[in-house]
Amino acid sequence: MIKEGDLVVIWIDSRRIYLVKVDPQKRFSSDKGYIDMSNLIGKEYGGKNFSVYREGSICVEAYSI
């Protein structure tokens, strides 16, 4: 399960792929919207979590590194 301090991949499209550290006090933002990092805590690795706040979606894929 994802926990605070883990690294996750945020995939917006083929040119925008980010590796970010999960911090429940932070939010990842892009032109497509945002993801509250606290929402990722407790999710399973290998799963995809979609968040839609504006146009399109943001896909978060979590892997243990």
Side-chain angles (χ1 to χ4, degrees):
M1 296 180 90
I2 299 172
K3 60 187 182 305
E4 183 176 348
D6 286 354
L7 296 174
V8 297
V9 175
I10 296 181
W11 175 285
I12 297 174
D13 57 34
S14 62
R15 288 189 254 171
R16 294 182 291 174
I17 303 168
Y18 303 94
L19 180 65
V20 298
K21 187 180 225 183
V22 176
D23 180 343
Q25 304 298 319
K26 294 190 177 179
R27 171 189 287 186
F28 176 86
S29 296
S30 80
D31 62 321
K32 297 292 186 186
Y34 65 89
I35 296 175
D36 288 321
M37 293 286 121
S38 62
N39 291 339
L40 300 178
I41 295 173
K43 303 282 185 178
E44 291 293 327
Y45 281 107
K48 294 182 180 180
N49 303 285
F50 293 90
S51 295
V52 179
Y53 290 95
R54 288 190 214 146
E55 305 167 10
S57 64
I58 299 172
C59 175
V60 178
E61 298 184 24
Y63 302 97
S64 59
I65 297 177

